[in-house]
Amino acid sequence: MATISAPRFGGITQLQQCLDGARMTPGGFDSDGDLQVDQANDPIAVTAVQKALADLGYAVGVDGDYGPQTTDVVRQFKNDEGLPLPAGLAAHDGVTGPGTMGRLDEIYTAESASDDELQAIVDAKLAEVSGTDVDPGQQVGGLVRTVDLHGATASCDLGLVVVTPAQEACVVLEPIATQWIATGAEAGPFGYPAADSAVDAGRLVQDFGGGGMAAPGGPATQGLVHSVDLPVWQRWREPIGGFDPGFPAAGTVAVGFDAAAEVGLFDAATIVSHPDTGGQVLPTAVADLWQSLSGGADLGLPTSSGTPAPGGGQVFGFAGGTILQAADGTASVKLDAAGGEAVPAMRFLLPDDANRGLRSASPDNRAEAFIGGKRALPRMAADIATAAGPNDFIYLLNWYCSVNLAMQPGNPDSTLRKLLEAATRGANGQPGAQVDAMFWKSKSQANATSVTLATLAPFFFLDQVLTPINSESMAFINSLPNSGAILDGRHLIAGSHHQKVLIVRSGDRLIAWTGGIDVNPDRLHEKGVNGSLATGSPLFDVHVRIEGPAAVDLLQTFVDRWTRHPEAPSFKPLRGAGFAPVGGATGPHTVQISHTYGRGFPFPHPVQSGKAVLENALRNTRRHAYLTCQYFVGSEPLRDALRVALRAADYVVVVMAPLEAVDDLPDIAFRRNAFLAPLLAEFPGKLLAFEALGTAGTPTSPEAYVHSKLLLVDDEAAFVGTLNYSRRSWTHDSEVMATIIDTGGPSFPPAPDPSAFAADLRAALWAEHLQVPVSSVTDVGAAKSLWVTLPAGARVRPYNPAAPIKRPTVGGRPIAPRILDAYWNTTADPQG
């Protein structure tokens, strides 16, 4: 006779009986399995089954009543798990019997760590933090299982150690520990802790999955704690530009005139968050003036966190007007909405904040866009070939880098191996250029607690492909004089270093490249040719070349990562660490560089300036936007920002890689649909979503795989970099992006100028997608008809949200939704 093993089902008699042959049915309980109901269902047993199915991702009410919904979900569970049909049945019923109960018990036994395993995790955490400022002291008493039975808490002298369902331990110090328990602990609105407590200047901060808490008095057995909901907390943790809002001064409260908005008070600022306007940061003087006008109702919700004013100071936008904060800090209001900007596209630039990873925008750059590796890589090789002197340097940041790829097809001397050998050779007794590089150290990232995750993870991380290629490139560069390379595996769990940056100094000239293009055969060759492995290659991609002050900002990106890596001291000092440009203005483009970095890599705080820039851009869209991304699985902040853009814009175009070509991300079909389908239903005719087709008009032929990570808004601003539209890229991995505006380009109201950077790039890309002359898409209004009714030969197809979705399987058996969610949230698209 089998025995219940999963802790969540222990001690429930009817569930043990089901495992032994009894049946729980809509009409009652069949205790001996003879198909005759002889007693009532135990509501506790029904609730346990419903909760178990709900935790696996099924939509079922947890109410103790075995009604039609529970019956349908049990039937679906049996089909999903591939349970054998009982004798005499042609299809599964909705009864919970030995098959259903056995499978549920198997799932939750496999996923439930033993108390000994949990205690070992706690002991390891206590050893890790012993003697630090977050040491909670000695454990007091035993473990207490969390409500969902997948985690545990251990009480300590000065707080708690909490083990999460991901089998990670987090320290929560007092007085926050007591406050968290009072809100319902992990079952309450704040959920599980997301990191250890942090002590900053004597004050205590704690991140949770549903927000955060702050104790201004620091670690103590008792004290004041401010509880801040997730939208405001995240905004405080993100780059906010120009000034430090200070420490939380109160918890979040609702805005009086709009119940969906929340306000958080900080020492030097107020953060106002709303799903439609995002989180906006207002200095205290601006916030006080706003709230003095009928509690904020006269101006409405803030729509920006400040943009530079022509005469100095900052302009803060609101739904019904603006507030100008002068350079001396005084604030004044204008109650009619501003119609335009004194300088075109300034609304797309955010104030700098060096402490949070956002540098100020710089004018006088010359930016040039390259569509596809066949255009970009030869020009990159030509730039590298100019560096050979004793002060020159070549720096690379890459996810993937092959030193054996001919960057100019057909020219064997254009491999990085040949180019870098020549650059470092030197002449006349003088050393050559310095070459330094950082490549991602690919490694297995699977969660060891799940066989399914271990099966899925290698598909995404491509360990078997990246490791030998990047290792060979590292070894080669380390063999060159005055040079060095690091395989960098320092990042968050299940993370990667996704930046693609090339820096070349040649004499007094500094050139920087960034965008979606690695030194990878799949940017030049079709699948199966010269080592190209990607379906739909060569990939459809965009890279930008920048000369001017912003090239120094991209150089600093390399310097920041290199100098903070523990292996850096073993190499010669960077020549570029103190580089100062020589010469004046070089071009008409204003550029701002932004990033994503996970907490601790390389900075102690997380950096999400790229996310802040993209959200701000979408929320400031007035006429049209164009987005490209290989995955486009989205996130809640992206959904909110896109909804704002779609309300204001005439239309928004999204172009993605076709599902047939994206074979590196299991479950993408389901995730893409879950993000896009509701938006397409809400904004019919305004959101135009497409999957690309290749040169042969098929989803797997060359150039079908759209790899560019791009946003173009109103023909005024271009955002080009490595950020996909996903949680991972916006919050978790190492990413970089350039915002580019043309100060001579169009203003608002529109004054089309085909020389403008964003307009020129948009027209070129749309001409490629639609297979029409550039002149046919220069006028954005007229071009909409081409997207609505595609021309013959167009290399896109409309995205179909009603298409059947095939989810991943293991050994031909479906994977439970809860397992797929765990894989997605911890491995494929984690939140940083």
Side-chain angles (χ1 to χ4, degrees):
M1 184 175 68
T3 303
I4 289 285
S5 300
R8 68 188 299 149
F9 302 131
I12 303 177
T13 301
Q14 282 194 355
L15 298 187
Q16 178 61 58
Q17 289 177 287
C18 283
L19 196 62
D20 295 337
R23 301 164 66 252
M24 189 184 299
T25 79
F29 195 70
D30 170 12
S31 62
D32 53 11
D34 63 357
L35 307 184
Q36 299 295 319
V37 170
D38 50 29
Q39 59 184 276
N41 289 325
D42 178 1
I44 295 175
V46 175
T47 297
V49 170
Q50 291 171 329
K51 183 66 167 60
L53 292 167
D55 287 347
L56 289 172
Y58 291 95
V60 59
V62 182
D63 55 11
D65 177 23
Y66 207 117
Q69 183 189 53
T70 300
T71 303
D72 289 344
V73 168
V74 169
R75 182 184 297 110
Q76 184 62 47
F77 172 75
K78 292 179 177 182
N79 288 323
D80 289 348
E81 293 297 316
L83 297 184
L85 281 171
L89 290 183
H92 277 301
D93 56 23
V95 169
T96 298
T100 304
M101 198 61 237
R103 181 60 184 142
L104 285 172
D105 190 52
E106 180 184 8
I107 289 171
Y108 284 103
T109 298
E111 293 187 358
S112 299
S114 69
D115 286 349
D116 288 344
E117 291 170 326
L118 294 172
Q119 185 62 58
I121 294 170
V122 171
D123 292 342
K125 172 57 70 171
L126 290 173
E128 173 192 332
V129 300
S130 178
T132 69
D133 56 6
V134 294
D135 185 349
Q138 296 295 313
Q139 182 174 342
V140 180
L143 293 174
V144 177
R145 287 275 185 165
T146 53
V147 171
D148 60 13
L149 300 177
H150 292 304
T153 60
S155 296
C156 300
D157 294 332
L158 303 175
L160 301 170
V161 175
V162 182
V163 182
T164 73
Q167 308 300 289
E168 295 178 354
C170 298
V171 173
V172 182
L173 293 178
E174 294 288 5
I176 290 177
T178 296
Q179 178 76 357
W180 177 61
I181 292 170
T183 65
E186 81 288 342
F190 287 89
Y192 280 96
D196 290 337
S197 296
V199 180
D200 179 11
R203 300 172 297 191
L204 188 64
V205 174
Q206 180 72 54
D207 290 311
F208 294 97
M213 296 184 185
T221 55
Q222 299 181 47
L224 180 66
V225 176
H226 301 308
S227 300
V228 182
D229 290 347
L230 184 61
V232 172
W233 185 263
Q234 284 185 326
R235 193 65 177 103
W236 178 56
R237 289 298 221 178
E238 293 172 7
I240 46 100
F243 58 91
D244 183 355
F247 202 72
T252 46
V253 296
V255 174
F257 65 88
D258 191 327
E262 292 183 319
V263 171
L265 301 181
F266 296 80
D267 291 340
T270 294
I271 296 179
V272 185
S273 181
H274 187 279
D276 288 347
T277 56
Q280 306 300 342
V281 185
L282 308 178
T284 298
V286 173
D288 288 348
L289 178 56
W290 170 62
Q291 291 180 324
S292 72
L293 301 170
S294 303
D298 289 351
L299 274 176
L301 292 171
T303 58
S304 79
S305 297
T307 56
Q314 299 280 316
V315 175
F316 294 82
F318 293 81
T322 58
I323 291 179
L324 170 66
Q325 185 174 39
D328 64 3
T330 58
S332 58
V333 66
K334 184 177 181 182
L335 286 175
D336 56 290
E341 298 116 348
V343 179
M346 289 297 287
R347 68 187 185 280
F348 297 114
L349 304 176
L350 295 183
D352 68 286
D353 188 338
N355 292 327
R356 294 178 184 260
L358 186 63
R359 302 185 181 99
S360 61
S362 59
D364 304 324
N365 297 277
R366 183 168 298 281
E368 185 177 2
F370 292 77
I371 300 174
K374 291 181 179 179
R375 296 184 179 102
L377 286 167
R379 185 66 179 277
M380 293 164 68
D383 284 341
I384 291 170
T386 67
N391 296 315
D392 293 350
F393 50 79
I394 302 164
Y395 297 151
L396 300 105
L397 296 171
N398 288 97
W399 183 83
Y400 177 119
C401 183
S402 169
V403 293
N404 300 316
L405 175 68
M407 299 169 70
Q408 298 169 340
N411 178 4
D413 292 330
S414 67
T415 65
L416 275 179
R417 185 180 295 276
K418 293 291 185 67
L419 291 168
L420 299 182
E421 282 177 343
T424 58
R425 190 174 296 134
N428 302 319
Q430 293 290 316
Q434 180 186 59
V435 176
D436 288 302
M438 300 184 78
F439 306 133
W440 178 38
K441 183 180 181 180
S442 176
K443 55 188 178 182
S444 177
Q445 306 279 351
N447 180 342
T449 64
S450 171
V451 173
T452 302
L453 294 187
T455 302
L456 290 169
F459 286 101
F460 181 75
F461 291 101
L462 302 174
D463 296 32
Q464 68 277 17
V465 175
L466 284 173
T467 299
I469 291 169
N470 286 351
S471 296
E472 179 185 6
S473 298
M474 176 199 67
F476 165 70
I477 292 173
N478 281 330
S479 73
L480 298 173
N482 305 307
S483 301
I486 295 171
L487 280 186
D488 190 358
R490 300 176 69 251
H491 47 65
L492 294 177
I493 294 171
S496 77
H497 293 298
H498 195 230
Q499 294 171 334
K500 305 159 203 326
V501 175
L502 168 66
I503 307 292
V504 178
R505 179 190 178 179
S506 176
D508 291 332
R509 192 178 188 188
L510 188 70
I511 302 164
W513 289 79
T514 193
I517 296 179
D518 276 311
V519 186
N520 186 331
D522 67 15
R523 303 311 199 275
L524 290 175
H525 303 293
E526 296 183 21
K527 183 176 182 179
V529 177
N530 292 332
S532 176
L533 300 176
T535 301
S537 60
L539 277 53
F540 189 95
D541 222 328
V542 175
H543 224 47
V544 290
R545 181 182 187 270
I546 299 171
E547 288 190 78
V552 180
D553 292 336
L554 281 167
L555 167 62
Q556 190 61 44
T557 298
F558 181 87
V559 172
D560 284 342
R561 278 189 54 193
W562 181 274
T563 56
R564 286 170 171 81
H565 196 282
E567 295 180 28
S570 64
F571 298 99
K572 292 189 176 182
L574 291 178
R575 292 178 186 173
F579 176 80
V582 177
T586 62
H589 302 128
T590 295
V591 179
Q592 185 169 39
I593 304 301
S594 53
H595 303 85
T596 303
Y597 290 116
R599 181 189 301 276
F601 306 103
F603 302 103
H605 50 265
V607 172
Q608 297 177 8
S609 54
K611 171 179 178 289
V613 166
L614 289 171
E615 285 185 274
N616 177 72
L618 288 168
R619 293 180 187 281
N620 278 284
T621 299
R622 292 167 171 169
R623 290 173 288 131
H624 61 86
Y626 162 67
L627 305 88
T628 65
C629 172
Q630 65 201 98
Y631 303 129
F632 215 81
V633 294
S635 64
E636 287 298 325
L638 174 60
R639 178 181 286 113
D640 291 342
L642 261 178
R643 293 177 75 243
V644 175
L646 285 160
R647 290 194 189 101
D650 297 328
Y651 65 107
V652 172
V653 174
V654 175
V655 179
M656 308 164 285
L659 292 173
E660 295 92 331
V662 185
D663 50 14
D664 59 341
L665 187 59
D667 212 26
I668 181 177
F670 178 82
R671 305 296 167 170
R672 177 182 285 181
N673 185 267
F675 180 71
L676 273 176
L679 290 170
L680 289 165
E682 185 178 359
F683 297 98
K686 294 191 78 172
L687 176 58
L688 308 177
F690 301 88
E691 293 180 319
L693 301 175
T695 55
T698 68
T700 57
S701 56
E703 299 183 19
Y705 197 120
V706 170
H707 187 264
S708 53
K709 299 91 169 59
L710 184 71
L711 170 64
L712 303 177
V713 179
D714 291 346
D715 278 0
E716 296 180 73
F719 306 84
V720 184
T722 66
L723 280 79
N724 287 306
Y725 291 100
S726 64
R727 291 181 305 192
R728 167 185 289 280
S729 276
W730 282 30
T731 68
H732 191 275
D733 288 3
S734 298
E735 310 279 7
V736 63
M737 182 175 66
T739 301
I740 304 169
I741 64 173
D742 191 326
T743 53
S747 59
F748 188 82
D753 178 353
S755 68
F757 183 91
D760 195 44
L761 179 57
R762 178 196 57 77
L765 289 164
W766 285 18
E768 293 251 9
H769 291 314
L770 298 170
Q771 291 293 287
V772 297
V774 169
S775 59
S776 299
V777 290
T778 301
D779 184 320
V780 174
K784 182 178 181 181
S785 64
L786 297 175
W787 288 107
V788 173
T789 304
L790 293 172
R795 285 170 45 187
V796 293
R797 68 185 182 196
Y799 173 71
N800 180 10
I805 294 173
K806 183 179 180 181
R807 303 196 73 181
T809 60
V810 173
R813 294 184 63 187
I815 302 171
R818 186 173 181 277
I819 299 296
L820 288 173
D821 286 345
Y823 150 74
W824 191 261
N825 295 328
T826 62
T827 304
D829 194 32
Q831 174 76 35

